[in-house]
Amino acid sequence: MERRNINRGYMKLTVWQDAIAFYTHTVSVFRDWPYEMKRVAGQQIASVDSIHRNIAEGYCRKSLKEYLQFLNVALSSAGESVSGLHAYHKAGQLKDDEFETMDAQAYKIENSLKRLIESLQKKKRDGTWQDEF
């Protein structure tokens, strides 16, 4: 059942949908890592989880300033996750195809977040942003 609520509008954002897909893929790759690597795997999952959560939380804030702040946190979390992917791939812990798929997902999310941030900053400059429901 689809629930409609202005506060859930972030679910229509392609970048949020892509972040959810990135999270589910990350969980599928990292969940079976050996016990001695559970902390590292958990940290990778957490950084990816942070992306969609911050997009949603920022959207649900009233002010544009807060929204932009949370989108920048989401972008930072994407950067953290990409750094981990590169390290794990270089260490031989991620197969080439796993790395390429997740790196491409992250790249798309990073660019989408940058475009969203830029468009919101333009609305801020133009005075076209409405801080009301």
Side-chain angles (χ1 to χ4, degrees):
M1 175 178 176
E2 183 181 345
R3 293 176 177 85
R4 294 183 183 191
N5 180 323
I6 193 167
N7 210 39
R8 293 187 180 186
Y10 60 85
M11 292 179 172
K12 294 179 183 177
L13 296 173
T14 303
V15 69
W16 180 83
Q17 295 167 8
D18 290 343
I20 293 290
F22 185 36
Y23 172 76
T24 59
H25 189 155
T26 299
V27 168
S28 71
V29 170
F30 284 87
R31 85 169 63 153
D32 294 328
W33 274 33
Y35 177 77
E36 62 273 6
M37 296 302 296
K38 286 296 183 191
R39 185 187 63 75
V40 172
Q43 190 170 355
Q44 181 67 18
I45 291 168
S47 68
V48 173
D49 186 43
S50 177
I51 300 169
H52 69 87
R53 289 176 177 274
N54 278 290
I55 294 168
E57 187 169 355
Y59 185 95
C60 295
R61 297 292 176 133
K62 183 179 179 207
S63 76
L64 180 57
K65 181 179 177 182
E66 287 179 299
Y67 189 13
L68 288 167
Q69 178 183 349
F70 278 90
L71 291 175
N72 280 301
V73 171
L75 187 57
S76 299
S77 293
E80 178 186 359
S81 70
V82 169
S83 179
L85 292 176
H86 281 269
Y88 310 141
H89 184 244
K90 191 165 184 106
Q93 296 168 301
L94 274 182
K95 297 176 194 165
D96 290 344
D97 62 326
E98 292 171 336
F99 171 78
E100 289 300 331
T101 299
M102 288 189 288
D103 189 52
Q105 286 178 302
Y107 183 81
K108 182 179 179 189
I109 291 165
E110 288 170 312
N111 285 315
S112 295
L113 282 169
K114 286 178 181 180
R115 283 191 305 275
L116 178 56
I117 290 166
E118 287 170 353
S119 73
L120 293 173
Q121 287 171 333
K122 183 178 183 320
K123 287 183 181 212
K124 182 179 180 181
R125 281 192 307 274
D126 296 348
T128 58
W129 177 263
Q130 296 293 322
D131 279 345
E132 302 172 358
F133 286 118

